[in-house]
Amino acid sequence: MKLELKAKLLRTFPKAKTIGSGRLFTRQLSYLVDSSLIGLYQSIEQEIPMMKHLALVPIGGYGRMELAPYSDIDLLYLHDGKLSKQDLTEIISRINNYLYNNEREVGHVCRTIEESFLSMDNIQSYHAILDSRFLIGPKALYQDYKNQFLDKLPKDRIQEYNEWKLDYLKERIINSYNPLLLSEPNLKNDSLGLRDIQLMYWIEKTYTSSGQREGGVFDYFLNGDTLPVVTAYDFLLRSRTALHILSGRKNDRLDLNYQSEVAEFLGFGSKTELISIEKFMSVLYKHQKDVYFYLGMYLEKKTSPSLDHYTRHFSNPDTFYDDIMNFFLECQLKEIEPSRIILNDLRFASHFIDDDFKNTGSVIDTFLQFVRNRKRVGHLLTLMHECNILGKLIPEFGACSNFPLFSYHHEYTVDEHTLLILRELDKLEEGVWEDPQVQSVFNDCQKVDILILAILIHDAGKVKEGDHCQYGAELALIIAERFRFSEEDTELLRFLVAEHIIMSDLSSKRDIYDPKLIQSFSQLFTDTNTLRLLYVLTIIDTKSVGKGVLTNWKKEILFFLFNSTLKVLEKATNLIDSNERTEQTLEVYLQEKEGLEPEVASQILNYATAIKPSSYLNYNTPRRVFQHFVNIVEWKNMKIPFRFVSESEPAFITVTIFSELNRQLLLFVSGTISSLGLNLVGMRLYRTDDGIIIIQSQITDQFGSGAIAPEQIQNIETMIADCVSGKINIEEESLTEHIWSSPPKIPDGMVEELVKFSNDQSDSYSVLEIRVPDSIGLVYRILKTLLDFDLDVIFVRISTSADFAYDSFYIQTKLGQKLENSEILFSLKEKILEVARMKQNKGVFEISF
């Protein structure tokens, strides 16, 4: 009998594929547990007479008969106080151990009716007992439990808990600023999951008569206009069941690793096809939106039953389209928050909108007026989208509805991500954005209405394979023509969509301190306003990808790129004499700020200007240049292999190393940082005329923060010293994981691997761009490969997303020239793929000359 229950359950699990109802399957699992516990109870009864004194009462999810494959089995041992403590302990131990031996987790309480009132102090226990049902034992005892306890629950406590739940749901769902549809939702506890529906169910259960108390969620929602929420709940149960079975444990987080498996399990297609995941997640999101609308109406009826709602009928076919658009325009102008009941009516009405809606002149005019007003546009467009109106007006955006991105750094669907950006724009419009620097740039922006439309479709191209920016630009031209834009506004809309990732790419993959890059980038713009709009779009787009994505490091480098380009456009600097101007600034600083004699200042200036590459003076402030000179002088006097200096920045730690020309030092630095579980986000290498190298590295912790403890900085220096002295084999250390971590794994085919050489970025160096799966010691292995090919590395930019590395290396030959030998390029490509532990010839290979 020991493994009887486990065998029954395992034999039943495969049927979840063919039973198209989560409710029916979880109920069947509950029946199996019921049957086993009844049989066990009866066998124990033969040894310990308890049939008159103790009842088994399933509670919680088991009580609702919604038992997921690996959910806890919650039991109330209800007794009349007449069994001895020894007998109670023996009974509970035998039943619980039986469940444990069958690999079931158990949650149990043992109470009399009088003791049950103590459970009211804990809302979780309160919810669990609301789902009590009789299993076996004295029926009279359970009837007394119902009459004396369940029907006598303190009304003030019930009201307190119900009001809390209503407030909780309102703040969690209706007033939520962040998107509710997540790329990796917790099916039970995240917004619009099972728990939110259960909270409504528990509220309603306190209003029912005692004769109707038993039953599950469906018994309380199968009345009125509730079919969508019932269907959604069933699908959530079914998806959770599949997730439990596939993971072999209690698991409610539908992460990317399991989405393909669950999609195939539920019949959406092969797990090897991305379209299967898209279909599955789209259905899941559709059901969650059904929960959202039902919940909105439910809360409005519960909290404001007598409220005189701002209403509008949408029944006149002659004014139908205009009535819809004017409704949102009036809400904007009069600062009215639309009734959730009316929004649901609009959602129903949206099914009767035809294709001519998007081409109707009056509709377009009203929408453009709404956008140009710039008040609460993001918030109201979100509501318009939820009602299926926005996608009818701009179908290019509507195609993104519920479209998953399959990306670990994107937390939301395309449409939710886009609308969050627009809500960030609302905050900028109100003048309350969190960063005064960004707010100041926005305050000088013109044509924000074009920016709004650009945001709406900036990621619309992701529904199609290929370059989503270029496809999005094509959609922009279509919309501009439909909206009758001028040539100027059309070009601005196209540009913002086509180039919306360029600032992010340049700041993360290129040396933004290179004057040539700034000069080249500035030529994209016809005016400073376009640059401002693109900068603002880049900032709020990055922030809206997910929590913590817009780090201080990213904000800092984006602003540097923006500000440097702005100066060029405003002709505040002249690139022809920028080096001369930089040298003059350094000389003035040395004399006026550091108080040096002109001869000494001139010596330092000559030393600094001879450092190669010349971007050294653009990247380092006069203060830091002077510090470097002092550090080098001190290091030479100290007679040690290298000098190690660290400096804390707002978003990272800068580590600078001075040493004799040693090609291995790059490997020591990258290998050490990798082995200590830190992130190398940037590295620059400079050379002086007298054979000294300066390595500047930007380091963050594993979470992208600059909060690195002094002990860790000391560990870096010590380990590099041990590498230099030969005490440590850096090859071995760099490939060893010294800290515990559990990085996510991107499913195969989600990101295409890339090895690209560009020779059009500079006259003297080639840019090697690599996109491959990340792994321990990857940067070390690539650097070693480059050095093995007798190449010099000037600059390294590291950018990792989830477990994919997006790294750029500026390289040149020993003669200071670009790498143009095609045979060497192909050999280098093969070796890089090999050290990245990829299959031969896998991925894309490009060369730009």
Side-chain angles (χ1 to χ4, degrees), residues 521-538:
F521 180 56
S522 67
Q523 292 174 358
L524 291 176
F525 303 94
T526 57
D527 54 56
T528 58
N529 185 60
T530 305
L531 172 64
R532 289 189 178 92
L533 292 174
L534 185 63
Y535 167 72
V536 170
L537 171 56
T538 304

mmCIF file of all heavy atoms in Angstrom, residues 521-538:
data_model
loop_
_atom_site.group_PDB
_atom_site.id
_atom_site.type_symbol
_atom_site.label_atom_id
_atom_site.label_comp_id
_atom_site.label_asym_id
_atom_site.label_seq_id
_atom_site.Cartn_x
_atom_site.Cartn_y
_atom_site.Cartn_z
ATOM 1 N N PHE A 521 28.208 59.585 -36.131
ATOM 2 C CA PHE A 521 26.852 59.481 -35.574
ATOM 3 C C PHE A 521 26.088 60.791 -35.746
ATOM 4 O O PHE A 521 24.889 60.793 -36.056
ATOM 5 C CB PHE A 521 26.948 59.095 -34.093
ATOM 6 C CG PHE A 521 25.617 58.959 -33.400
ATOM 7 C CD1 PHE A 521 24.647 58.089 -33.883
ATOM 8 C CD2 PHE A 521 25.335 59.708 -32.261
ATOM 9 C CE1 PHE A 521 23.421 57.963 -33.242
ATOM 10 C CE2 PHE A 521 24.114 59.582 -31.618
ATOM 11 C CZ PHE A 521 23.157 58.711 -32.104
ATOM 12 N N SER A 522 26.763 61.906 -35.564
ATOM 13 C CA SER A 522 26.097 63.209 -35.657
ATOM 14 C C SER A 522 25.566 63.481 -37.055
ATOM 15 O O SER A 522 24.610 64.250 -37.230
ATOM 16 C CB SER A 522 27.062 64.327 -35.242
ATOM 17 O OG SER A 522 28.117 64.454 -36.188
ATOM 18 N N GLN A 523 26.151 62.846 -38.048
ATOM 19 C CA GLN A 523 25.717 63.080 -39.415
ATOM 20 C C GLN A 523 24.358 62.458 -39.716
ATOM 21 O O GLN A 523 23.777 62.726 -40.765
ATOM 22 C CB GLN A 523 26.775 62.536 -40.382
ATOM 23 C CG GLN A 523 28.083 63.319 -40.336
ATOM 24 C CD GLN A 523 29.171 62.702 -41.184
ATOM 25 O OE1 GLN A 523 28.975 61.658 -41.801
ATOM 26 N NE2 GLN A 523 30.334 63.356 -41.220
ATOM 27 N N LEU A 524 23.842 61.633 -38.794
ATOM 28 C CA LEU A 524 22.508 61.065 -38.970
ATOM 29 C C LEU A 524 21.411 62.097 -38.763
ATOM 30 O O LEU A 524 20.280 61.904 -39.218
ATOM 31 C CB LEU A 524 22.283 59.918 -37.974
ATOM 32 C CG LEU A 524 23.090 58.635 -38.167
ATOM 33 C CD1 LEU A 524 22.791 57.675 -37.037
ATOM 34 C CD2 LEU A 524 22.755 58.002 -39.507
ATOM 35 N N PHE A 525 21.735 63.201 -38.081
ATOM 36 C CA PHE A 525 20.703 64.129 -37.623
ATOM 37 C C PHE A 525 20.698 65.418 -38.441
ATOM 38 O O PHE A 525 21.750 65.967 -38.758
ATOM 39 C CB PHE A 525 20.910 64.456 -36.143
ATOM 40 C CG PHE A 525 20.910 63.243 -35.261
ATOM 41 C CD1 PHE A 525 22.104 62.617 -34.926
ATOM 42 C CD2 PHE A 525 19.716 62.715 -34.797
ATOM 43 C CE1 PHE A 525 22.110 61.490 -34.138
ATOM 44 C CE2 PHE A 525 19.711 61.589 -33.998
ATOM 45 C CZ PHE A 525 20.911 60.972 -33.669
ATOM 46 N N THR A 526 19.481 65.863 -38.720
ATOM 47 C CA THR A 526 19.336 67.146 -39.415
ATOM 48 C C THR A 526 19.169 68.298 -38.434
ATOM 49 O O THR A 526 19.330 69.461 -38.817
ATOM 50 C CB THR A 526 18.112 67.103 -40.341
ATOM 51 O OG1 THR A 526 16.940 66.774 -39.576
ATOM 52 C CG2 THR A 526 18.299 66.064 -41.432
ATOM 53 N N ASP A 527 18.818 67.971 -37.196
ATOM 54 C CA ASP A 527 18.656 69.025 -36.191
ATOM 55 C C ASP A 527 18.807 68.415 -34.803
ATOM 56 O O ASP A 527 18.795 67.198 -34.625
ATOM 57 C CB ASP A 527 17.286 69.713 -36.322
ATOM 58 C CG ASP A 527 16.140 68.727 -36.276
ATOM 59 O OD1 ASP A 527 16.038 67.970 -35.291
ATOM 60 O OD2 ASP A 527 15.333 68.693 -37.237
ATOM 61 N N THR A 528 18.936 69.275 -33.810
ATOM 62 C CA THR A 528 19.146 68.812 -32.437
ATOM 63 C C THR A 528 17.884 68.212 -31.837
ATOM 64 O O THR A 528 17.962 67.368 -30.947
ATOM 65 C CB THR A 528 19.621 69.975 -31.549
ATOM 66 O OG1 THR A 528 18.646 71.037 -31.591
ATOM 67 C CG2 THR A 528 20.957 70.511 -32.028
ATOM 68 N N ASN A 529 16.700 68.641 -32.303
ATOM 69 C CA ASN A 529 15.460 68.103 -31.745
ATOM 70 C C ASN A 529 15.329 66.611 -32.021
ATOM 71 O O ASN A 529 14.877 65.838 -31.160
ATOM 72 C CB ASN A 529 14.251 68.842 -32.314
ATOM 73 C CG ASN A 529 12.950 68.384 -31.673
ATOM 74 O OD1 ASN A 529 12.775 68.505 -30.467
ATOM 75 N ND2 ASN A 529 12.045 67.854 -32.476
ATOM 76 N N THR A 530 15.726 66.183 -33.208
ATOM 77 C CA THR A 530 15.666 64.756 -33.528
ATOM 78 C C THR A 530 16.565 63.958 -32.600
ATOM 79 O O THR A 530 16.204 62.871 -32.139
ATOM 80 C CB THR A 530 16.076 64.531 -34.996
ATOM 81 O OG1 THR A 530 15.256 65.332 -35.847
ATOM 82 C CG2 THR A 530 15.923 63.070 -35.380
ATOM 83 N N LEU A 531 17.748 64.499 -32.306
ATOM 84 C CA LEU A 531 18.654 63.829 -31.363
ATOM 85 C C LEU A 531 18.013 63.741 -29.984
ATOM 86 O O LEU A 531 18.083 62.689 -29.329
ATOM 87 C CB LEU A 531 19.975 64.587 -31.292
ATOM 88 C CG LEU A 531 20.963 64.110 -30.210
ATOM 89 C CD1 LEU A 531 21.415 62.678 -30.482
ATOM 90 C CD2 LEU A 531 22.168 65.055 -30.133
ATOM 91 N N ARG A 532 17.395 64.809 -29.526
ATOM 92 C CA ARG A 532 16.747 64.795 -28.208
ATOM 93 C C ARG A 532 15.640 63.740 -28.154
ATOM 94 O O ARG A 532 15.512 62.990 -27.174
ATOM 95 C CB ARG A 532 16.183 66.175 -27.880
ATOM 96 C CG ARG A 532 17.237 67.231 -27.587
ATOM 97 C CD ARG A 532 16.608 68.510 -27.051
ATOM 98 N NE ARG A 532 17.623 69.491 -26.726
ATOM 99 C CZ ARG A 532 18.070 70.424 -27.572
ATOM 100 N NH1 ARG A 532 17.569 70.491 -28.810
ATOM 101 N NH2 ARG A 532 19.006 71.274 -27.205
ATOM 102 N N LEU A 533 14.817 63.700 -29.189
ATOM 103 C CA LEU A 533 13.728 62.726 -29.222
ATOM 104 C C LEU A 533 14.271 61.299 -29.205
ATOM 105 O O LEU A 533 13.747 60.425 -28.493
ATOM 106 C CB LEU A 533 12.858 62.942 -30.464
ATOM 107 C CG LEU A 533 12.022 64.226 -30.505
ATOM 108 C CD1 LEU A 533 11.337 64.377 -31.865
ATOM 109 C CD2 LEU A 533 10.978 64.240 -29.395
ATOM 110 N N LEU A 534 15.326 61.054 -29.974
ATOM 111 C CA LEU A 534 15.896 59.714 -30.020
ATOM 112 C C LEU A 534 16.516 59.336 -28.679
ATOM 113 O O LEU A 534 16.391 58.183 -28.227
ATOM 114 C CB LEU A 534 16.953 59.625 -31.126
ATOM 115 C CG LEU A 534 17.554 58.241 -31.352
ATOM 116 C CD1 LEU A 534 16.482 57.258 -31.804
ATOM 117 C CD2 LEU A 534 18.692 58.296 -32.370
ATOM 118 N N TYR A 535 17.157 60.281 -28.034
ATOM 119 C CA TYR A 535 17.746 60.014 -26.715
ATOM 120 C C TYR A 535 16.664 59.669 -25.697
ATOM 121 O O TYR A 535 16.781 58.682 -24.948
ATOM 122 C CB TYR A 535 18.544 61.236 -26.253
ATOM 123 C CG TYR A 535 18.939 61.189 -24.794
ATOM 124 C CD1 TYR A 535 19.926 60.313 -24.342
ATOM 125 C CD2 TYR A 535 18.334 62.037 -23.863
ATOM 126 C CE1 TYR A 535 20.292 60.275 -23.003
ATOM 127 C CE2 TYR A 535 18.692 62.005 -22.527
ATOM 128 C CZ TYR A 535 19.671 61.120 -22.101
ATOM 129 O OH TYR A 535 20.022 61.083 -20.777
ATOM 130 N N VAL A 536 15.592 60.462 -25.661
ATOM 131 C CA VAL A 536 14.501 60.196 -24.725
ATOM 132 C C VAL A 536 13.875 58.833 -25.016
ATOM 133 O O VAL A 536 13.598 58.049 -24.097
ATOM 134 C CB VAL A 536 13.438 61.311 -24.809
ATOM 135 C CG1 VAL A 536 12.183 60.921 -24.029
ATOM 136 C CG2 VAL A 536 13.997 62.624 -24.270
ATOM 137 N N LEU A 537 13.656 58.538 -26.298
ATOM 138 C CA LEU A 537 13.102 57.237 -26.667
ATOM 139 C C LEU A 537 14.008 56.114 -26.197
ATOM 140 O O LEU A 537 13.527 55.098 -25.652
ATOM 141 C CB LEU A 537 12.912 57.174 -28.190
ATOM 142 C CG LEU A 537 12.543 55.811 -28.797
ATOM 143 C CD1 LEU A 537 11.278 55.259 -28.152
ATOM 144 C CD2 LEU A 537 12.364 55.927 -30.299
ATOM 145 N N THR A 538 15.303 56.249 -26.379
ATOM 146 C CA THR A 538 16.249 55.207 -25.976
ATOM 147 C C THR A 538 16.206 54.972 -24.473
ATOM 148 O O THR A 538 16.197 53.821 -24.008
ATOM 149 C CB THR A 538 17.681 55.588 -26.396
ATOM 150 O OG1 THR A 538 17.706 55.843 -27.808
ATOM 151 C CG2 THR A 538 18.654 54.470 -26.068
#
